Every structure is written in C-alpha cells, then in structure tokens.
Amino acid sequence: MTATPYRIVKRREIPARFAPGEPISRRDYLLDGALRTWNGPTQDVLSPIVADLGSGPAHVVLGSCPAHDPDTGLTALEAARKAYDEGLGDWPTRPVESRMACVADFARRMNERRDEIVRLMVWEICKSRKESEQEFDRTIEYIDDTLATLRAMRDPSRRHVEASGLAAVLDRSPLGVVLCMGPFNFPLNETLATLIPALVMGNTAVVKLPRIGRLLFWPLMSCFAEAFPRGVVNIVSGGIELARPLMSSGHVDVLAFIGTSRAAEALRALHPRPNRLRCVLGMEAKNAAIILPDADLATAVPEVLRGAFGFNGQRCTAIKLIFAARGIAQPFLEEFANAASKLKIGLPWEEGVNITPLPEPGKTAFLDALLADAREHGAKVVDIPGRPAGALDDAFFAPTIVCPVTPNMRAFREEQFGPLAPVAVFDDVEGADGPLRAIAHSDYGQQASLFGGDAEQLSRLATRLRNLVSRVNINCKCQRGPDILPFTARRDSAVGTLSVEDGLRAFSLPTLTVARQTPANAAILDVLKRKERAF
Ligand code: G3H
C-alpha cells in the first residue's frame, strides 16, 4: 500500500452476501479433460479493497491460484491440438447439434454458479454488484443468442445454392486451435464472447485467464470439464509470458485477445507463419463525444456522464475525450461538473455506487500523471462542487474533469481507462483543428458520439465519422451492446468483428461441397443435401 487508504472497510459494513470467507486457494486447473493439481508456485489474489478484518488495514486476500509455467502452457496447447487432430478429431467433425448441446449444457451449469461468480467479480475487480450481475446475465444471454443464431444460419435455404449447372452445399468449418485471452474489465463476458463461438464452430482452445479477474473462473472449471469432451477446453493461469511460447510454436491458429495493441502486436509477431494466424483483437480506444453548439444539454450531460464514468471509465467503449463547441463549452462544463458531483464514490456492493476502487496496480498514479501533464501544458482541473480531484489513494480516483486539453497533452492522445474526463474546446467541427481531424489523426478508431439538434448536420457528420470510426452514436453514449450489432473498429482499436453472428463467422471459414448437376450425381446430391451434418 503506497498511500493512506481513502476508505478502510470494517467487517460489519460488508453485507452478508459479500462477507469475505476464507481465502480460496486453488491448485486445480483444467487440462486435457481432467481437473489436475498444480504443484508449482501460486499467485495471491488480492482485492483492491482495503479492509480491517481484525488484524489491521490491508488489501483483502481473496485466495491464490496457479502461476503456471510456459511448459504447462505448451502441454495445454498440445491437448487442444490433439483434440483438434488436424481437423479430423471428434470435436471438429461431430455434428454441430452435438457441439451446441455441449454449449447449452455448459450455460446451464454456469447459471447455477451465478452468485459465486458475481461475488468474486465484486471483490476482484470492484465492479458494482449491479454491473457484475449485468455482466453475468449478458454473458448467458450471449450464449443463448449464439445458439439461436447458429440454428438460423444452418437453415437449408441459406446453405444450398444451384448455379451454372452446379449444386453447392455451403458450410462454415473451424480454423483450429484458439488461444483465448480476455481482459480484466469484462473478464467473464469478453472471454466467453470469443471462447463460446470458437468452440461451437468446432475449434479447440487454450484459455489464458486475465491477469486480474481470474479467481472468478474457478467456479467454471468443473462446468467446462463436465460439459466438454477431453482436450476441447484447457485453462491456464499466469502472465503474458505464458502466451509467448504458445505463439512461437506456430501451433496457435487463432489469437483471440482483448488488451493493449502493444501486447497484441508483440504476440502476433511471435508466430513463425503469420499467414496461418487469424487474429480477433479488441484493443485500446479513445472514443470522442462531440458537443455541437445546438446540443440539448439535458440529454448530452447524462449520456456523457455515463459514457465517461460508467464502471469508472473502464469500458473499452467509454467516452475518453470530449470536444465541446466554444459557444456551449461553459454551460456544458458547469452541468457536467454538477452531475459529476452526484456520483457516489464507494464500495462495489453499496446501493447506487458509481466510482469504486480501480484494480490495476499503479493506475491512480498513471491517471495523476496524465492530469499533471495536462496541467503543465495549460489545462485546468474543472471544479466539481464539494469534491476533490485526482487520486484519493492507490485504488480510488475521484471523478475528474480537465479542460481545455489540446493535442500536445497525453490526456488528449492516450487511453486513460479510468475516471478522468478530458474536455477540448473547438471552433469548427470540420476545421483543421476540429474534432473530425483530431479523430482522423488518433491511433484509435472505435466509436464516437455526436450531440446536436440539426438533423442535416448530424447526418453529414455521421457519414464522415463512419470513415474514421466504426460506430457513430447520435445523442447517446458509445457502447458495444446490444450484442447483435457488429462490434469492430479501425486502426489500433480492433482486428476483426464481433457480435453474436459475426463471432460465429470470426472463428470459422466458409467452405463448400460442390457437384455437377448430372443424372449420375443425383444420388450423391441427394445425400449431400439431406445428410450434410458438419456445419
Ligand atoms: O469494454 C468493453 C465492453 O465490451 C463494453 O461493453 O459498451 O456494452 O458496456 P458496453
């Protein structure tokens, strides 16, 4: 602990449902169809929350889990390869209905562990109780929708084509072994939103758990073990170094990674046959909100507030830079600061809490450094009535607004991923110094939000912005959901597209069986159409 804790929790303040039990010390992990025991080093899992549970204030120890070595990672990769067996294994060749049944069985088992997983999420990453429950429920819904969508995609009317005297049966076939690495902020949802489509399409997987938010996967180990055949899912836990030899081996066919572009670049560069590697990547973003002169502040302020400070700004889709037109900047800042003064700073189980401890080590110091840099270059902290600004300790960071930021400041360019809202002021939205050009020059290109009242102008700007980012939100915050919509981005923000349907496509290849429509082939064509089993 480097700073005096802002909040020291007493045992009596913790609701019974979230009462810290004995630390959960896990040595089991899923490898080649069995829960094995790890005899090597383990890593303590600490909560960002400081509590005095009887022996003085300290970060609450939630438990420990294996710190796997690279050899274990390679053994897991070997198990996934064996189950895939060059595309001829039982899993990639079995009827898709059978794989769908395994996924449905997994979802049913997972649902039974809801309370445990939510409780661990609350303690480990300090996501509020409500948002943790939402993440869990959204993930179950994602799995259900994936199965329903796959069923619809298999409709014969979409798969049988006759043209130029040929009859074709269209399929989608798996790609191979997937290395799946989710992030700390949506550890459950974003890991399973890649893993489940990958599995149901016939791939096998090694999952490397997120570096923060990993203990919450232990209730799922037995669900995976019971629902999926041997070797189809293998789960290891450790740092990024665990992934390196897997990539260098050349035996990872798909890298599904949500994290920083630097880590993604380093990992994919290790693959010795890059043409054989498919990447599905979700990386940093610097989503902008543009407040036009005629914006309705009663709409814009609450949307920007939720966009910038929802889950402490730790959403890849958060609003991370605000551009306010000069004429409206002052009233916008006043209303934004007033709204921010009502955000409740507290613990994740508290009713109505908005700002909770940040789980990344060193995060509040990083945010303070962005703030100091902006101030050095001439920006000012906007007064939020009755509130401090910046770091409160090494986990709490008060919602902070800084203005005017300019391109020479780090807060203008770098992803903050925390409750720091930089505001820039502009004169001409399409001018050389305006927001459109700034977005075009950014390393990132995920989404933008436009706030204004002139339909013609909004439409014109949306058309232009869609060439710079992948989704333009009119008079509402940026967000990924609903999950049926394509989620992608430009430049260093993403590779590939996810959504319920796009996820199934991302982890498969369109393949087809074709025969000439001759009398001699009639019987074959009939069998192909009726009995085509693999998807
Ligand atoms: O961090 C990225 C999440 O997928 C955000 O999801 O925008 O729907 O809250 P959301």
Side-chain angles (χ1 to χ4, degrees):
M1 225 182 296
T2 54
T4 311
Y6 167 74
R7 178 91 188 258
I8 300 171
V9 183
K10 295 273 187 294
R11 195 182 283 278
R12 64 173 182 282
E13 293 175 75
I14 307 171
R17 181 182 163 195
F18 294 99
E22 280 302 301
I24 306 165
S25 300
R26 304 305 300 245
R27 285 190 170 272
D28 54 321
Y29 67 106
L30 179 58
L31 185 118
D32 203 15
L35 291 176
R36 322 255 160 187
T37 303
W38 169 247
N39 291 316
T42 59
Q43 185 179 12
D44 282 345
V45 179
L46 300 184
S47 173
I49 296 172
V50 175
D52 187 349
L53 302 175
S55 45
H59 283 286
V60 175
V61 180
L62 302 175
S64 61
C65 60
H68 284 131
D69 57 10
D71 278 351
T72 308
L74 287 167
T75 310
L77 181 62
E78 214 31 58
R81 287 185 72 209
K82 205 163 88 198
Y84 192 68
D85 191 14
E86 301 177 318
L88 302 176
D90 165 64
W91 184 252
T93 57
R94 67 163 65 190
V96 68
E97 289 82 1
S98 163
R99 293 199 298 261
M100 289 166 76
C102 294
V103 169
D105 181 35
F106 168 76
R108 189 184 52 73
R109 293 171 191 277
M110 171 172 155
N111 226 348
E112 288 168 7
R113 316 301 294 262
R114 183 178 188 267
D115 285 356
E116 277 168 272
I117 292 171
V118 165
R119 184 180 164 283
L120 284 166
M121 198 181 293
V122 160
W123 275 102
E124 263 189 285
I125 64 166
C126 286
K127 186 171 272 194
S128 73
R129 175 194 58 77
K130 193 169 149 208
E131 288 169 306
S132 297
E133 287 170 351
Q134 280 167 351
E135 178 170 345
F136 186 95
D137 297 340
R138 176 181 182 173
T139 307
I140 291 286
E141 197 182 323
Y142 195 100
I143 299 174
D144 291 346
D145 289 350
T146 296
L147 295 179
T149 302
L150 184 49
R151 223 165 269 128
M153 285 165 75
R154 298 189 68 239
D155 191 290
S157 64
R158 290 176 69 174
R159 299 178 57 214
H160 296 167
V161 176
E162 295 181 2
S164 306
L166 298 172
V169 180
L170 309 180
D171 302 322
R172 293 200 73 95
S173 301
L175 299 169
V177 174
V178 180
L179 172 59
C180 181
M181 298 167 63
F184 84 85
N185 61 331
F186 281 78
L188 182 72
N189 182 266
E190 294 207 345
T191 302
L192 296 192
T194 52
L195 178 64
I196 293 298
L199 295 178
V200 81
M201 295 312 280
N203 304 280
T204 62
V206 175
V207 180
K208 190 197 84 63
L209 297 178
R211 76 197 149 96
I212 307 169
R214 54 173 73 156
L215 212 49
L216 61 89
F217 280 88
W218 258 266
L220 292 180
M221 290 285 176
S222 60
C223 305
F224 280 117
E226 285 154 19
F228 291 100
R230 180 173 179 182
V232 170
V233 186
N234 305 275
I235 302 181
V236 290
S237 154
I240 193 93
E241 65 286 351
L242 197 51
R244 290 195 193 112
L246 276 64
M247 294 304 296
S248 308
S249 75
H251 295 313
V252 170
D253 301 300
V254 187
L255 173 64
F257 173 82
I258 318 285
T260 66
S261 53
R262 215 167 56 174
E265 260 169 34
L267 283 175
R268 68 195 293 192
L270 290 172
H271 200 289
R273 312 283 293 272
N275 289 344
R276 295 188 179 190
L277 178 71
R278 179 178 290 195
C279 290
V280 179
L281 310 175
M283 302 171 289
E284 303 97 302
K286 194 73 182 168
N287 292 348
I290 303 175
I291 319 291
L292 295 164
D294 59 349
D296 170 22
L297 292 183
T299 302
V301 167
E303 288 285 340
V304 174
L305 190 81
R306 285 199 294 143
F309 295 125
F311 185 35
N312 308 311
Q314 298 172 122
R315 293 163 56 244
C316 58
T317 46
I319 289 175
K320 292 167 185 159
L321 183 56
I322 301 158
F323 291 94
R326 194 168 300 281
I328 200 169
Q330 201 46 42
F332 168 76
L333 282 172
E334 276 165 28
E335 290 193 29
F336 188 39
N338 273 334
S341 73
K342 297 185 180 74
L343 293 172
K344 178 172 171 180
I345 303 176
L347 296 159
W349 50 74
E350 289 175 359
E351 217 38 59
V353 71
N354 303 106
I355 301 294
T356 57
L358 307 178
E360 288 181 282
K363 191 58 195 253
T364 61
F366 166 78
L367 293 170
D368 260 353
L370 293 188
L371 194 55
D373 172 78
R375 295 170 89 165
E376 265 165 41
H377 289 90
K380 293 200 164 42
V381 168
V382 176
D383 181 46
I384 298 183
R387 279 291 169 79
L392 302 175
D393 65 9
D394 59 8
F396 277 104
F397 193 90
T400 300
I401 304 168
V402 58
C403 181
V405 295
T406 45
N408 56 334
M409 301 177 192
R410 292 178 61 195
F412 190 99
R413 302 184 309 268
E414 293 180 32
E415 182 186 60
Q416 63 272 45
F417 222 72
L420 173 64
V423 181
V425 177
F426 69 90
D427 293 299
D428 175 3
V429 67
E430 293 189 62
D433 298 325
L436 261 58
R437 287 290 163 188
I439 294 168
H441 297 158
S442 165
D443 283 339
Y444 310 114
Q446 191 195 68
Q447 298 191 17
S449 287
L450 276 173
F451 293 91
D454 177 344
E456 291 297 329
Q457 188 191 23
L458 290 171
S459 161
R460 177 190 160 86
L461 292 177
T463 307
R464 278 152 182 69
L465 274 168
R466 287 204 310 274
N467 289 354
L468 310 179
V469 299
S470 74
R471 172 168 160 168
V472 182
N473 304 277
I474 306 278
N475 290 324
C476 63
K477 69 178 171 67
C478 302
Q479 63 182 47
R480 170 179 177 161
D483 291 320
I484 51 164
L485 296 178
F487 180 54
T488 185
R490 297 171 183 276
R491 300 190 287 284
D492 282 339
S493 286
V495 172
T497 304
L498 290 173
S499 78
V500 169
E501 182 162 341
D502 289 303
L504 293 166
R505 295 185 188 284
F507 292 97
S508 61
L509 186 77
T511 55
L512 53 159
T513 312
V514 183
R516 218 172 273 293
Q517 289 178 296
T518 61
N521 277 344
I524 298 171
L525 288 170
D526 193 43
V527 172
L528 272 180
K529 283 185 189 170
R530 278 189 299 108
K531 290 202 170 171
E532 182 71 39
R533 294 168 79 203
F535 180 61

